[in-house]
Amino acid sequence: SGAVSGGTDTSILGIIARSTPISKAVLLTLILMSVGSWAIILYKLWVFRRSEQQSNSFLDVFRRSSKFSEVQAVCRSLTESQLVGLFQSGYAELKAQLRQTSPDDEGNPRGGAGRPTLKSLAAVDRALMRASVVEVNKLESRITFLATTASIAPFVGLFGTVIGIMMSFQMIGETGS
């Protein structure tokens, strides 16, 4: 409950109730921007924490494993880790290159029993770069709202302050004191 002095309610709710539609719109805009920002911040904290835990689990499996196929089998349960996306992209490119038969293997009666070789290390590098861009974009989603809010909110607040000062001067002019 607010203090009542001379019939004027000076509580926050009383001040808001007596404010102009412009002031209410400015306040509502700032409140919505604040709620949206906090929601994104809390969501991102949750996503980053979960990603870190799953990335640590992935690294443990990756370091212990002797075959990429074993690591691939674990990837389905660690979908929040960005390392999984990178690994899967690189692994898919490696498998695609190793499946291609070279002209030397076609004449081999044992059906490619020779040692498999990579056709293009640059292609693997490009696949990993594409995957890293995808993973960074996933991490950066919704960050533009935070950046926009951080740059716009001070101006919205300043606009509200200027409107409030102008209205104060107008009221002083009307009352003469």
Side-chain angles (χ1 to χ4, degrees):
S1 69
V4 178
S5 170
T8 304
D9 186 5
T10 59
S11 70
I12 295 292
L13 294 177
I15 292 171
I16 293 171
R18 289 190 318 273
S19 66
T20 65
I22 293 175
S23 300
K24 289 177 184 173
V26 167
L27 186 60
L28 180 65
T29 301
L30 290 173
I31 288 170
L32 291 175
M33 291 168 83
S34 178
V35 167
S37 295
W38 279 108
I40 290 171
I41 289 167
L42 294 175
Y43 172 73
K44 285 298 184 180
L45 283 173
W46 178 75
V47 166
F48 289 151
R49 184 165 292 134
R50 187 171 163 98
S51 173
E52 182 180 18
Q53 291 169 348
Q54 289 194 6
S55 291
N56 288 337
S57 297
F58 173 80
L59 285 174
D60 289 342
V61 170
F62 185 79
R63 289 178 180 142
R64 282 185 283 126
S65 190
S66 60
K67 296 180 182 178
F68 284 156
S69 58
E70 294 172 0
V71 178
Q72 178 67 20
V74 175
C75 287
R76 289 181 191 91
S77 64
L78 302 173
T79 57
E80 298 296 320
S81 171
Q82 287 70 40
L83 297 177
V84 168
L86 288 172
F87 172 80
Q88 287 180 326
S89 178
Y91 184 64
E93 180 63 30
L94 286 174
K95 277 178 55 174
Q97 284 192 27
L98 294 177
R99 282 186 184 155
Q100 294 174 354
T101 58
S102 65
D104 298 338
D105 291 341
E106 289 174 2
N108 190 341
R110 292 188 286 173
R115 184 177 177 98
T117 58
L118 286 178
K119 308 296 182 220
S120 170
L121 191 57
V124 175
D125 184 47
R126 283 191 303 273
L128 291 173
M129 291 300 288
R130 282 191 306 269
S132 68
V133 168
V134 168
E135 296 301 325
V136 166
N137 284 339
K138 285 181 191 175
L139 287 175
E140 290 179 346
S141 69
R142 297 185 177 97
I143 297 296
T144 54
F145 179 81
L146 292 179
T148 303
T149 299
S151 62
I152 290 176
F155 296 110
V156 174
L158 181 62
F159 174 73
T161 302
V162 169
I163 294 294
I165 290 172
M166 287 174 46
M167 292 180 62
S168 296
F169 283 139
Q170 182 181 13
M171 291 174 76
I172 289 171
E174 289 175 1
T175 59
S177 63

